Amino acid sequence: MEGLNLDGWLPIRVWQEAGQWRVDWCWFADARLLQPFFGDAVEEALRLPFNQAFRRQTPLSALTQWQQQKPGLEPAALIFHASRCGSTLISQMLAQLDDHIVISEPPPLDTLLRGDIPHAERCAALKGLVSAYGQRRRGPEQRLVIKLDAWNIGELGLLRECFAQTPWLFVYRNPLEIAVSHLRRPGMHMVPGMIGASVLDDGLPFSGQEDFIARRLGRLLQTGLEQCRAFAGTALNYNELPAAMAGRLAGFFRLDADHCRQALACARVHAKQPTHAFAEDGEGKRREASALLRERVLKWTQEPYAALELLREGC
Amino acid sequence: MTRPAFSRLPVAVNLPLLLQALAAIGEDSWRGHFNSAYHSGDWSGVALISAADALSELSCGRGQPLRRAPWSADSRWHAALRDWPLDIVSARLLRLGPGARIHEHRDYDLGGADADLRLHVPLLSPPEVDFWLDQQRIPMMAGECWFLDLSRPHRVDNRGAEPRIHLVIDCRPSPWLEQAIVSGLRSTPAASTAPSDFERFRRQVHSDPELARLLQGLHQVDAFMERAQALGAEQGLHFTPEELRAAMRRGRRQWREQWKA
């Protein structure tokens, strides 16, 4: 088999064409991925004319071939989350660390997890994709951390099959605060029909945005709870941040004192809008909630949220 | 329903009669197309049938189809086409002169279930003409009739010394035509997979990291394009700035449009 040379290239897109799954690779050279989301890093890389005209496109099997030829870092941790709950703060704190690679919500990972792909092929591609992200492009990289899209908590079992040894975190927050954030500016998974079939669907008609958001949030927290129980996940509440980074998360991510100091220095800026300072905004969000939203959120999320809190305190 | 990108219809074309009618068209009947970002060189046309509100020989309209003078004055056009039960919206002769090019574009008005269907009947078709549709070279020959889905990206390059002239017919969709498109697929010759010079250069860039390195460092579009063309020319691979620009557009679109169903 002809040797591949994909040094400096990262998969940015997986798609199906004429029945075949394919991978779109973009040239990143030794650029660090410091942006809040992998998609932002892609946008940046695509400003290079070379990446508009000369990206590489390969069959899905190239992921496996590249992994066999040059295995990347194994994932050190997976971050699942309930959205709008501090997971980006955590990934941004880790991204500051020179020896960490943090890949945040990469679109190809979601495509491989939820696309219509035969099981064996899907698992091989998932391992190959993660290995490609775990390539040492600079030199000092020792740890690979991957943050998933919120709805991928439904595909946790699949990821456990591929990465059985990798510890994983489920980050969540007071559901009323999450719901208010989605009412202000809905995430993709809180817009009907936007992301396709996922674990968040309950298949029932809904009556308005408050009802829709609260029900999907309920399913998200319930799934997180069940997965934590079934697969020994570590649950973390937003209200433990950012201090937990020097506390129990330091243990979880195996960070030393220097790591913790650097990571916390980053916490003074807002994770998704780096020009804004990070500020605890829970109270403002709760005050903003309407009576209808409170009622819906309470009805659909109270049980799983309370159970998650119990689970967390027990650990 | 999805239509194929192209199909050679299983119909007989009376090429000798059409060529006679073509020969009778005076040079002064051809109307050129100026100031377009979409082509270079001679691209001109003669309207045989066109919408009442068509702005020029080369554009379409929405109004009632009118028979124009060259059609009315020569019964051979009607005689050559009368066996095909087509609902014709427009019929034009389109000429691409020696060395002329139509840059990559999509005719969005031809997309969608109810859009007009465009047929190409090559009358003069020198072998040095490359018609690229969806990155495939369509092997059209004089005297054939082809359906082409031109809402997909396409471009034409006349590398030869002779003009290329096609009779281009836009029709309303009809069961007869839909059936002809489907049954034509079986006997449609395969599109050539011979890569264009640009595609060959692209493959070289992918297999040669040193060559890639020369282009990866260029942040300015103009400098990048100039260098890519020069590096291609060094290997005997010639492509136009428009081909390169089209590839860049495609690259941006593939990323941005991935979430569209």
Side-chain angles (χ1 to χ4, degrees), chain A residues 97-114:
Chain A
L97 308 177
D98 200 42
D99 56 359
H100 276 63
I101 303 172
V102 179
I103 308 279
S104 184
E105 306 185 9
L109 183 52
D110 181 43
T111 307
L112 287 182
L113 286 170
R114 293 191 302 137

Side-chain angles (χ1 to χ4, degrees), chain A residues 261-314:
Chain A
R261 202 167 31 249
Q262 280 180 55
L264 283 171
C266 153
R268 274 176 278 149
V269 296
H270 186 281
K272 290 179 194 170
Q273 291 153 308
T275 51
H276 291 62
F278 171 74
E280 162 59 46
D281 61 353
E283 204 186 312
K285 279 179 174 155
R286 288 193 301 275
R287 247 199 326 266
E288 189 178 320
S290 67
L292 173 63
L293 186 65
R294 282 170 195 282
E295 183 267 317
R296 295 279 91 184
V297 167
L298 198 65
K299 175 173 163 67
W300 294 106
T301 68
Q302 187 182 27
E303 271 183 38
Y305 181 60
L308 275 164
E309 285 293 89
L310 274 176
L311 185 82
R312 184 170 65 91
E313 279 151 21

Side-chain angles (χ1 to χ4, degrees), chain A residues 112-128:
Chain A
L112 287 182
L113 286 170
R114 293 191 302 137
D116 183 15
I117 308 172
H119 186 71
E121 200 185 342
R122 188 201 308 272
C123 290
L126 281 168
K127 290 177 187 167

Side-chain angles (χ1 to χ4, degrees), chain A residues 35-199:
Chain A
Q35 295 87 344
F37 298 100
F38 182 70
D40 301 332
V42 174
E43 294 281 348
E44 174 75 25
L46 287 184
R47 290 166 61 180
L48 193 66
F50 179 87
N51 273 334
Q52 298 172 24
F54 293 109
R55 289 208 306 277
R56 296 172 69 166
Q57 308 191 327
T58 67
L60 203 58
S61 58
L63 290 170
T64 308
Q65 196 190 336
W66 182 226
Q67 181 185 15
Q68 283 165 355
Q69 217 174 299
K70 194 177 172 193
L73 297 170
E74 297 260 341
L78 300 175
I79 303 175
F80 294 84
H81 57 96
S83 74
R84 314 292 168 88
C85 61
S87 62
T88 304
L89 176 63
I90 296 173
S91 64
Q92 282 288 83
M93 286 197 278
L94 294 172
Q96 304 306 310
L97 308 177
D98 200 42
D99 56 359
H100 276 63
I101 303 172
V102 179
I103 308 279
S104 184
E105 306 185 9
L109 183 52
D110 181 43
T111 307
L112 287 182
L113 286 170
R114 293 191 302 137
D116 183 15
I117 308 172
H119 186 71
E121 200 185 342
R122 188 201 308 272
C123 290
L126 281 168
K127 290 177 187 167
L129 180 76
V130 168
S131 167
Y133 288 140
Q135 292 288 334
R136 287 198 181 93
R137 291 176 295 116
R138 295 180 304 118
E141 301 97 319
Q142 298 293 336
R143 305 269 177 76
L144 169 66
V145 174
I146 295 187
K147 176 161 96 86
L148 289 103
D149 282 303
W151 53 89
N152 290 142
I153 189 66
E155 285 75 48
L156 179 98
L158 201 49
L159 282 161
R160 297 292 300 164
E161 239 180 272
C162 301
F163 308 104
Q165 304 306 315
T166 307
W168 63 279
L169 189 64
F170 181 67
V171 192
Y172 61 97
R173 179 179 184 168
N174 179 325
L176 191 60
E177 296 166 16
I178 297 177
V180 166
S181 175
H182 283 296
L183 267 184
R184 284 183 189 167
R185 198 170 50 83
M188 289 224 290
H189 58 294
M190 291 301 183
V191 179
M194 189 96 165
I195 62 164
S198 77
V199 73

Side-chain angles (χ1 to χ4, degrees), chain A residues 5-10 26-30 66 135 137:
Chain A
N5 184 353
L6 288 160
D7 279 323
W9 297 79
L10 295 179
C26 180
W27 168 252
F28 279 79
D30 57 359
W66 182 226
Q135 292 288 334
R137 291 176 295 116

